[in-house]
Amino acid sequence: MSPPVAPAGWSRWLVPPAALSVHLSIGQAYAWSVFKPPLESALGLSGTQSALPFQLGIVMLGLSAAFGGTLVERNGPRWAMAVALVCFSSGFLISALGAATEQYWLIVLGYGFVGGIGLGIGYISPVSTLIKWFPDRPGMATGIAIMGFGGGALIASPWSTQMLESFGTDSSGIAQAFLVHGLVYAVCMSLGVLLVRVPRTERPVEGAPSAFQGPQVSARNAVRTPQFWCLWVVLCMNVTAGIGILEKAAPMITDFFADTSTPVSVSAAAGFVALLSAANMAGRIGWSSTSDLIGRKNIYRVYLGVGALMYALIAWFGDSSKPLFIVCALVILSFYGGGFATIPAYLKDLFGTYQVGAIHGRLLTAWSTAGVLGPLIVNWIADHQKEAGEHGSSLYGLSFLIMIGLLVIGFAANELVRPVHARHHIPAPREAADVQRQQSESA
């Protein structure tokens, strides 16, 4: 199928809202921690078990993005957004059936497997298109779209909490909440399907650089370069560190201050999740736009180096100061979001725009790995510490020290990134022929 080509006079500023409608919907994944306590109570699950749908969803996000990246490049953003709509909404409907019948495996299958495919295809659906529409500001463009994914929980967290309060936190109430999510998100994502377009030419804005300027590397060649694998490590470490807090945000802040004179209520914990979502969202547009000014390598030095410092402050002083804990967590989540939003532009700088969507999809397997590592490290250690009689902030001290080590590894990998050797570049005549063919097919 051919992607929809923008007619003459089409404003490129209509494309970011299309991307946002999809990313704000699938960004609900970041509000999963709101469902963890009700699921654990209603179905008798442990913290590790209740994290499984989220973990599998992130795994499937990376795998579907990796295997579907080439299809997205070939069929265009409208096809990808439509597939994402069907899978993501169906995942909620299957999960609703699982909660209603108290069949936990259906929740894992629906939210984790089917919904996870929707996450992956939906996540990469607008990235390549945005970079081609905004060759002059790729960091800002991808930041606008991916900001929506980070901000999804800002809407979903209080919305989901309110639904659980209205419907109840038993299996029937959870099922009704899942059902409403699936139907509403289907409507929201349809806006992106109807609105998205690809540029008619490689210079969508007069005076802007060509979308295909500079060295171009195919997805097949990119995965054979050390630069790709260095960025894979960078993304994996940064995501592991951020997702470890995000997935367990609500119970974590409750545990940290449970033994103090100012314990955190359930509603305040949900508010903390919403704050993290806001930081995640702001970091995606703020830090990625900053990367257009100071460079991708420098901004990742900030993400990884300062991120390690923030984790150290939480590990050593977090339980003595609620403001310190919250501020450090917000900074970490802003770096987490910024890392996601900046990585497509980093890839564009190194490999060009020729198959940047497919390359980005393959790189997101790092997210799949981190989606398992982050929650597993935090939940597994917390569960074992609880069995050993520990409580409060002691449940998380060891996992935070591990996160510091992972961020240091990511920092070192970023320092090893160099320009891609010319032997991996696509010869200019072949590149021009491919671009011309793609444009003629689209027209």
Side-chain angles (χ1 to χ4, degrees):
M1 96 182 261
S2 299
V5 179
W10 184 267
S11 173
R12 64 176 179 169
W13 292 102
L14 293 174
V15 180
L20 278 171
S21 70
V22 173
H23 275 236
L24 280 170
S25 298
I26 63 177
Q28 182 281 334
Y30 284 142
W32 177 253
S33 64
V34 173
F35 286 101
K36 281 172 63 69
L39 282 171
E40 290 168 15
S41 175
L43 302 181
L45 306 175
S46 68
T48 303
Q49 289 174 319
S50 66
L52 183 57
F54 174 82
Q55 287 176 289
L56 180 58
I58 299 301
V59 169
M60 293 309 300
L61 185 158
L63 294 178
S64 61
F67 289 106
T70 303
L71 289 175
V72 172
E73 289 283 329
R74 181 184 306 150
N75 296 329
R78 176 172 288 175
W79 172 88
M81 289 179 179
V83 171
L85 185 159
V86 171
C87 291
F88 189 66
S89 296
S90 297
F92 269 111
L93 300 183
I94 295 170
S95 297
L97 178 62
T101 59
E102 298 188 3
Q103 297 293 316
Y104 177 60
W105 68 272
L106 278 175
I107 299 176
V108 176
L109 173 67
Y111 191 93
F113 184 80
V114 178
I117 294 173
L119 285 176
I121 300 299
Y123 188 86
I124 63 173
S125 61
V127 170
S128 176
T129 302
L130 282 165
I131 288 177
K132 290 171 184 175
W133 273 110
F134 294 87
D136 49 336
R137 288 178 281 181
M140 181 211 69
T142 54
I144 289 175
I146 296 176
M147 172 185 68
F149 193 88
L154 189 62
I155 299 170
S157 180
W159 182 42
S160 300
T161 301
Q162 182 60 49
M163 274 194 286
L164 290 171
E165 290 177 358
S166 300
F167 299 145
T169 56
D170 58 359
S171 58
S172 176
I174 296 171
Q176 292 180 66
F178 282 155
L179 177 62
V180 173
H181 277 74
L183 296 177
V184 171
Y185 283 136
V187 174
C188 294
M189 295 173 75
S190 65
L191 176 64
V193 175
L194 297 173
L195 195 60
V196 73
R197 299 286 190 279
V198 296
R200 179 172 292 275
T201 69
E202 64 179 75
R203 293 183 187 272
V205 179
E206 186 177 352
S210 167
F212 296 94
Q213 183 176 0
Q216 304 293 323
V217 182
S218 69
R220 182 179 180 183
N221 285 342
V223 298
R224 299 174 179 176
T225 65
Q227 288 84 354
F228 177 89
W229 294 105
C230 283
L231 290 187
W232 193 97
V233 172
V234 166
L235 184 63
C236 184
M237 299 300 101
N238 194 54
V239 172
T240 300
I243 211 168
I245 285 183
L246 194 57
E247 187 275 336
K248 202 175 174 65
M252 181 182 291
I253 192 170
T254 302
D255 290 337
F256 244 81
F257 299 98
D259 299 330
T260 68
S261 58
T262 55
V264 177
S265 66
V266 173
S267 59
F272 175 63
V273 174
L275 275 178
L276 292 181
S277 179
N280 189 353
M281 181 174 63
R284 290 172 188 244
I285 182 62
W287 294 121
S288 62
S289 296
T290 303
S291 78
D292 287 333
L293 302 176
I294 69 173
R296 323 301 172 196
K297 192 169 197 174
N298 286 332
I299 202 69
Y300 272 95
R301 285 169 173 153
V302 174
Y303 296 157
L304 299 160
V306 179
L309 175 61
M310 294 296 102
Y311 255 115
L313 289 175
I314 292 178
W316 292 326
F317 308 110
D319 59 344
S320 62
S321 172
K322 194 177 295 183
L324 176 67
F325 177 91
I326 294 173
V327 169
C328 288
L330 292 177
V331 172
I332 290 171
L333 263 295
S334 77
F335 292 160
Y336 170 82
F340 276 122
T342 310
I343 204 69
Y346 209 162
L347 291 172
K348 178 259 181 188
D349 293 346
L350 291 171
F351 303 110
T353 59
Y354 174 62
Q355 289 188 331
V356 68
I359 298 170
H360 185 223
R362 287 161 172 77
L363 192 76
L364 290 182
T365 54
W367 192 357
S368 295
T369 304
V372 174
L373 282 179
L376 182 63
I377 290 170
V378 174
N379 284 290
W380 186 82
I381 291 176
D383 286 346
H384 279 71
Q385 292 288 78
K386 190 175 294 185
E387 291 174 2
E390 299 290 342
H391 53 86
S393 61
S394 299
L395 299 175
Y396 304 99
L398 177 58
S399 59
F400 284 1
L401 293 178
I402 293 173
M403 297 302 180
I404 293 171
L406 294 179
L407 287 169
V408 171
I409 293 172
F411 189 94
N414 183 54
E415 294 303 307
L416 296 175
V417 174
R418 299 289 186 273
V420 177
H421 195 278
R423 68 175 179 272
H424 297 292
H425 297 173
I426 294 173
R430 174 185 164 189
E431 173 197 330
D434 282 349
V435 171
Q436 185 177 10
R437 176 181 56 78
Q438 291 172 0
Q439 290 177 346
S440 63
E441 289 176 355
S442 299

